[in-house]
Amino acid sequence: MKFHGMLAAGLLFCGLAACGATNSLSDLRGLKTRETRIPVYSNDRLQLLLYCEECGQSGRGLAATAPVLDIIRKDADIDSITTGKDTKIYPLGADFPAVLNFWSKRLFSDGVAVTTKADIDQENQQAASGEKVYFRSPLLDLDGIGFDGDYRKRTIFVRKDVRIILRTGASDPLKFVGRPRLPEKYEFIRGSADTLLIDMDKRAITLQGHVRLREERGSLDCDRLMIYLPDKKSKRDLADNEELSIKGVSRIVCEGGVRMVRQGVKEVQRADGERLDYDLQTGRLRLTGSMDRLPVIVQGKNSLQGRVIDIYRDDERLHVEQNARILYYRREEDGKEQEICATSQMMDFSGKKNSGEMRGNVSVRNRQYTLLCGRLQVKLRDNGKKLNTREKQAGSDVTGIPDIAPAGGSRELQSLHCSEGVRMIRKTAAGSVPEYAEAGEADLQMPQEVITLTGRRPTLTRGQDTLSGEQIIIFAKEERLLAYPDSKIVFHGNFNNPALQSRGKKAAKAISSTIITAERGDFRYGENQMNLLGNVQVLDPHMKLNCEKMDIFLKPNQQVRTAIRLEDLNAGSDSLTGPNARKQLDRIICGGKVRAVEPRAKLDCDMLTLTFRPAAGKAVPGVLQSNGTEMEFIYADGNVVMESIPEKKTASTAGKKSDRDLMFDSSSPVRLTASNGRVNIPGNITELHGHVKVRHIQGSMDCQDLYLYAKDVAGETAESAGGERLAAIDEDPFAANEPTKVPQVLSISDGKQLDRAVADKDVVLVRNLPGNRKQQALGEKAEYFVSRRMIELTGKPPELARVIDSVPRNNGRGEKITVYLDREAVAFDGRVQMDFDATQKPGDQGFSTDFLK
């Protein structure tokens, strides 16, 4: 940005006053001359040449008509200097050939000023005119109306309608004198203002009132523009136009309604503020505003805002103090734009280092998430697009504002690193509530939008559910979460249920919670599944479960079709258990040394599958039996082992016979093995298949298939009936401290009790009876009726069922054999074959023949 002619204008008008101060002019007192030519010398060198069509004394001053003032070049050829007579200046804004033609004929001049009249006050050393004034120089052209020059104050003031043309150094006409070629492009800046003031002592030029500068690539508007020239190294005589050799401008200050616009390589840049201070020597540009109007820099749709914005041109650095805000638009792979808004108290970016930092109440927001922290570090990267020479030179000579995206937008966002109290609020798919996360640090990789939370045990909350781990990785585009090591997820049922709240909020929350821990958790909400791997443990109000791998499959909740409101957060809106859950459980598959523990039984197998359906009624809270879904089927495959948990005797039950002392005494465990099994919970049917074996201290049973039929009873949960709840997840989930009280029925789960059991194919039933007796029953099918306390055994025709007593040795066969457990009697139906021990005496134990039919 070159302003060689600005200072020349000051010399010009002050030179008019200097003419009136010379002794030679005092001799003109009372005289009036025509076509006057007055030279002004300094240090024996011609500085100025004044030509007037008419010049004479007017009172105490000098009146000049149609004055023409030339500023003589230092190295000018005296013989080439022409008079100012018939000087015709080119109009403001003339094309380059006209400008070149004018200055090629005035190589002796650094500038020329023309007006119609000028009054010179000799005593006060002032000059003034109310007429139009025109100044032309190789690099500056000026038109205005009226001027006031003060020789003592070394100032010149153009009163109104100031219009200027500033030519860049590449369009200096003196460079093209005598050359056949013109510049490739005529580059100039057009300006206007209400007034112009040149202050020689302050070495400042001030344009004021509706200030406008325009050029091909940019513009500047403000209320006041101050241009400062570099300080002189030493003082010179006022008339010494060595000052004209000063190159460039040292500082520009704009005040009031500042707006700068420049055309970048691809997008328009704009800066708005109340004050702009641009130090061209240090390359620092400072933009400030007011309390109600913060300064802003805009590039395309991107913008930067703050109380104070500093741009360091040479370092490609940008610094913002207080209320920093940057708005950035990034194009997605699908062509759509994503808005990213970042705010903080301070921000600092370095184009050379491709990095930046924001500090103090940092917030980063886009359509999917909000990151909050105390410190944010930003990494940029080159986008691989090279700029040609013309693009690199597309900077504005008016403003000198660097691109917001350095190198003409050739860089893009690579990563963000958050620290110091990281919090995240993430919006999931439409109709769902946000996720909340807390961590020590967070890393965001772009453009994949992968967020990694670490430090301070990161915890993510979704509705009423929580997820934690040593680190949590969020795949924002995929609606996926990855937590490892030490993953822990807690599902909360509707613990706001009044029936549970009556026990206390803490107890209600514990009863309605399901806790799952694993070494690694992969939660693919977008794919409707969750995968847990490595030492998986589940603690639920209904069971404890341990396995090596667990896959949880979800399905959309068809009953939830409206968007979730924020006020529903406390009601479990987006948990898997809430009544408004967007997704519900479909099935759970567990593999690798599976063990499940209920209050009354344990289960081991190679694979366990749980399926769910929408709850038919008010189910017990908890994810495995929630108020949104209920368990439908349980499938156990491979090396199935089931073992009952013995009833613990209390002082009130000690010595009493339990109602469960039926086929096998419940005081000792019952162990059942099979190849596979299925539990139909709504149908109240349990099936076991493949070499089924039942073992108890009082006996055993073998068969190929076993069917257990239950019935619903009006009951309560184990805990509500007096039993203790399951141990906490941090305790040994398979320790012996099981419930001390259970309902005194042959129940197999909450609200259900055994009604009938059917053993099929190759049935062998053995009962250990008092007196070292063994009773063995063999047949094709055995049915156990719990309420009637009897077993019916049938054979596979033509074979008969058989009952054998060990002492005495009795052997009975029949088409149907009925064993009455409460009376220890046996009845035979149909074809009967009996073999009695010949040594049996009346009164000996054995099955009675009274029941033979």
Side-chain angles (χ1 to χ4, degrees):
M1 187 172 183
K2 309 297 183 182
F3 288 89
H4 300 84
M6 280 292 198
L7 199 52
L11 289 173
L12 163 69
F13 295 115
C14 289
L16 290 175
C19 292
T22 61
N23 293 331
S24 59
L25 287 180
S26 65
D27 296 335
L28 298 177
R29 203 167 284 155
L31 297 178
K32 183 176 291 187
T33 63
R34 299 181 62 82
E35 297 187 7
T36 305
R37 185 179 185 188
I38 305 174
V40 179
Y41 289 87
S42 176
N43 297 327
D44 297 326
R45 186 170 69 81
L46 182 63
Q47 299 287 306
L48 304 168
L49 182 62
L50 173 64
Y51 170 82
C52 305
E53 288 185 2
E54 186 175 289
C55 183
Q57 187 71 21
S58 175
R60 300 177 59 184
L62 177 67
T65 302
V68 177
L69 181 66
D70 268 302
I71 303 173
I72 307 303
R73 295 175 61 90
K74 179 179 179 181
D75 55 354
D77 183 0
I78 300 299
D79 294 334
S80 67
I81 298 175
T82 61
T83 179
K85 184 180 180 181
D86 299 326
T87 299
K88 293 182 179 180
I89 60 175
Y90 52 85
L92 193 71
D95 58 18
F96 189 78
V99 175
L100 177 60
N101 181 62
F102 180 86
W103 288 107
S104 64
K105 297 176 181 179
R106 304 183 73 85
L107 298 178
F108 59 86
S109 177
D110 268 329
V112 59
V114 177
T115 185
T116 55
K117 292 181 181 180
D119 295 322
I120 300 171
D121 185 338
Q122 295 170 277
E123 182 176 347
N124 295 315
Q125 299 185 14
Q126 295 176 344
S129 173
E131 306 299 323
K132 291 184 178 180
V133 60
Y134 309 92
F135 174 73
R136 301 292 184 265
S137 75
L139 295 178
L140 169 69
D141 298 336
L142 179 148
D143 285 2
I145 297 178
F147 74 87
D148 297 281
D150 192 310
Y151 171 67
R152 292 174 179 172
K153 294 182 179 179
R154 300 180 51 161
T155 62
I156 178 67
F157 177 73
V158 180
R159 299 174 185 175
K160 62 179 181 180
D161 292 342
V162 176
R163 301 290 185 269
I164 60 174
I165 293 291
L166 301 172
R167 280 178 286 276
T168 66
S171 297
D172 184 351
L174 298 181
K175 294 181 179 180
F176 294 91
V177 175
R179 295 184 180 181
R181 292 185 179 180
L182 297 180
E184 293 182 5
K185 189 171 185 179
Y186 181 27
E187 296 181 334
F188 61 90
I189 299 169
R190 188 184 298 273
S192 64
D194 291 343
T195 65
L196 179 145
L197 173 66
I198 299 176
D199 190 320
M200 304 298 295
D201 287 337
K202 294 182 179 179
R203 302 183 64 76
I205 302 167
T206 302
L207 294 165
Q208 187 157 332
H210 303 95
V211 179
R212 285 191 165 190
L213 296 181
R214 295 287 186 270
E215 60 140 14
E216 180 183 2
R217 295 181 299 272
S219 63
L220 170 62
D221 291 79
C222 61
D223 296 334
R224 188 182 186 197
L225 171 65
M226 291 161 283
I227 302 171
Y228 295 92
L229 303 170
D231 292 334
K232 295 185 297 181
K233 294 182 179 180
S234 62
K235 292 187 177 180
R236 297 184 177 91
D237 183 86
L238 172 65
D240 187 353
N241 63 355
E242 284 290 333
E243 298 186 42
L244 292 176
S245 65
I246 297 174
K247 305 294 183 181
V249 175
S250 64
R251 183 182 171 204
I252 296 175
V253 177
C254 304
E255 294 179 342
V258 178
R259 166 162 288 196
M260 296 169 291
V261 179
R262 62 167 290 178
Q263 178 62 53
V265 175
K266 295 182 178 180
E267 297 175 308
V268 174
Q269 292 184 356
R270 189 185 81 246
D272 294 337
E274 289 299 312
R275 178 182 170 88
L276 167 72
D277 191 335
Y278 183 22
D279 189 327
L280 280 77
Q281 294 182 334
T282 63
R284 191 201 73 173
L285 185 149
R286 168 166 287 189
L287 187 65
T288 56
S290 60
M291 293 294 294
D292 56 350
R293 186 189 180 207
L294 295 179
V296 61
I297 297 177
V298 179
Q299 175 173 312
K301 297 178 68 174
N302 302 332
S303 64
L304 172 69
Q305 192 176 45
R307 183 66 56 82
V308 178
I309 301 176
D310 287 326
I311 299 176
Y312 298 88
R313 180 194 61 212
D314 299 334
D315 295 336
E316 295 185 31
R317 188 166 68 89
L318 183 146
H319 181 82
V320 182
E321 285 289 346
Q322 300 182 20
N323 303 109
R325 178 180 181 269
I326 187 167
L327 195 62
Y328 175 75
Y329 287 85
R330 186 173 60 83
R331 190 167 296 279
E332 300 285 349
E333 295 176 357
D334 57 5
K336 296 182 180 179
E337 285 187 337
Q338 179 179 175
E339 178 185 288
I340 300 176
C341 179
T343 60
S344 65
Q345 287 303 307
M346 185 282 295
M347 69 172 63
D348 200 344
F349 287 91
S350 172
K352 290 184 177 180
K353 296 180 180 180
N354 273 358
S355 64
E357 183 177 72
M358 304 178 72
R359 292 196 299 269
N361 298 323
V362 181
S363 169
V364 180
R365 293 180 173 87
N366 68 1
R367 71 170 182 264
Q368 293 181 319
Y369 54 81
T370 297
L371 282 172
L372 306 174
C373 61
R375 182 181 182 186
L376 172 68
Q377 293 170 296
V378 180
K379 290 290 185 182
L380 306 174
R381 64 181 168 199
D382 295 331
N383 60 18
K385 298 178 181 179
K386 296 182 179 180
L387 305 178
N388 59 42
T389 303
R390 184 64 184 170
E391 289 175 329
K392 292 179 180 179
Q393 294 176 349
S396 170
D397 289 320
V398 174
T399 63
I401 302 175
D403 288 334
I404 296 176
S410 63
R411 292 170 183 159
E412 58 188 21
L413 188 60
Q414 177 181 356
S415 65
L416 303 176
H417 177 76
C418 302
S419 57
E420 299 179 10
V422 177
R423 295 172 55 214
M424 188 192 77
I425 303 171
R426 176 174 172 262
K427 300 176 183 178
T428 52
S432 66
V433 300
E435 293 174 344
Y436 299 87
E438 295 185 354
E441 297 182 358
D443 281 291
L444 171 59
Q445 295 296 320
M446 308 292 285
Q448 298 86 359
E449 290 193 48
V450 177
I451 305 170
T452 302
L453 304 176
T454 57
R456 298 184 181 178
R457 182 73 185 179
T459 300
L460 188 146
T461 302
R462 183 176 189 154
Q464 293 179 348
D465 304 334
T466 62
L467 169 67
S468 61
E470 291 301 315
Q471 74 171 357
I472 298 176
I473 303 176
I474 302 171
F475 300 86
K477 291 184 177 181
E478 304 174 29
E479 199 176 352
R480 177 189 175 195
L481 305 173
L482 189 64
Y484 70 92
D486 194 17
S487 169
K488 180 178 181 179
I489 185 168
V490 180
F491 297 114
H492 289 299
N494 187 11
F495 54 82
N496 294 317
N497 188 310
L500 296 178
Q501 288 289 336
S502 63
R503 306 187 186 189
K505 186 173 182 179
K506 185 175 181 181
K509 191 171 183 178
I511 294 171
S512 64
S513 300
T514 296
I515 302 175
I516 304 176
T517 62
E519 294 177 6
R520 180 185 180 94
D522 191 349
F523 306 94
R524 301 170 179 264
Y525 289 104
E527 300 177 14
N528 289 327
Q529 63 176 294
M530 297 182 285
N531 310 111
L532 298 111
L533 184 66
N535 192 24
V536 182
Q537 296 189 34
V538 179
L539 178 63
D540 181 78
H542 298 67
M543 70 166 61
K544 288 182 286 189
L545 188 148
N546 189 11
C547 60
E548 289 299 317
K549 180 182 179 182
M550 175 183 288
D551 296 323
I552 301 175
F553 297 89
L554 311 175
K555 60 184 177 182
N557 187 349
Q558 300 298 329
Q559 297 179 352
V560 178
R561 299 179 180 178
T562 58
I564 303 301
R565 301 173 300 171
L566 291 179
E567 52 264 34
D568 292 331
L569 278 172
N570 293 328
S573 304
D574 204 37
S575 66
L576 291 176
T577 55
N580 295 324
R582 186 170 58 90
K583 296 183 180 181
Q584 293 179 322
L585 281 171
D586 182 34
R587 67 187 187 278
I588 298 175
I589 300 177
C590 305
K593 298 181 180 179
V594 181
R595 166 166 280 202
V597 179
E598 287 188 329
R600 300 171 184 85
K602 300 177 183 180
L603 168 66
D604 291 86
C605 61
D606 295 336
M607 178 179 292
L608 180 68
T609 302
L610 312 174
T611 65
F612 300 82
R613 69 175 187 177
K618 293 183 178 180
V620 181
V623 71
L624 298 183
Q625 193 82 1
S626 70
N627 56 354
T629 60
E630 63 181 4
M631 198 182 302
E632 185 175 16
F633 290 100
I634 301 175
Y635 299 90
D637 293 290
N639 301 310
V640 177
V641 179
M642 298 178 65
E643 185 173 339
S644 67
I645 298 175
E647 176 185 359
K648 292 184 179 181
K649 299 294 183 179
T650 63
S652 60
T653 61
K656 295 183 179 180
K657 183 178 180 180
S658 171
D659 290 337
R660 296 176 63 184
D661 291 345
L662 303 175
M663 185 165 66
F664 295 132
D665 190 341
S666 62
S667 62
S668 299
V670 177
R671 181 181 174 86
L672 185 153
T673 62
S675 297
N676 59 78
R678 185 184 79 159
V679 179
N680 182 340
I681 296 177
N684 289 333
I685 302 173
T686 298
E687 304 175 20
L688 294 162
H689 304 285
H691 305 289
V692 180
K693 296 181 180 182
V694 180
R695 298 293 184 265
H696 185 266
I697 192 172
Q698 293 179 337
S700 65
M701 184 182 72
D702 289 61
C703 62
Q704 290 298 319
D705 302 295
L706 177 63
Y707 301 89
L708 305 174
Y709 298 89
K711 64 180 180 180
D712 296 323
V713 294
E716 299 173 305
T717 64
E719 182 180 6
S720 63
E724 295 180 351
R725 72 176 301 277
L726 294 176
I729 194 68
D730 295 329
E731 300 174 16
D732 182 358
F734 308 111
N737 54 340
E738 302 299 337
T740 56
K741 289 189 249 181
V742 294
Q744 295 299 305
V745 293
L746 190 56
S747 60
I748 56 175
S749 66
D750 293 337
K752 297 180 185 293
Q753 70 180 44
L754 186 64
D755 181 53
R756 183 167 61 103
V758 177
D760 196 17
K761 298 177 185 177
D762 302 326
V763 178
V764 177
L765 177 64
V766 177
R767 299 180 67 224
N768 299 322
L769 301 176
N772 294 323
R773 290 176 52 211
K774 280 186 180 284
Q775 189 178 74
Q776 185 178 19
L778 299 89
E780 183 66 15
K781 183 177 181 180
E783 291 191 60
Y784 170 39
F785 300 93
V786 176
S787 60
R788 293 160 60 186
R789 303 185 182 182
M790 70 180 194
I791 300 173
E792 289 184 351
L793 185 69
T794 58
K796 182 179 181 181
E799 296 182 5
L800 301 177
R802 183 169 57 166
V803 175
I804 302 173
D805 264 351
S806 61
V807 179
R809 186 72 177 178
N810 297 326
N811 188 343
R813 292 182 176 86
E815 292 183 4
K816 182 173 75 170
I817 301 176
T818 304
V819 179
Y820 296 91
L821 300 173
D822 54 348
R823 289 177 287 172
E824 293 296 336
V826 180
F828 296 80
D829 289 331
R831 286 188 302 120
V832 178
Q833 296 180 6
M834 303 297 296
D835 294 325
F836 296 98
D837 188 344
T839 63
Q840 184 178 4
K841 298 177 182 180
D844 288 346
Q845 293 180 337
F847 52 78
S848 171
T849 58
D850 296 339
F851 297 95
L852 294 176
K853 295 182 180 179

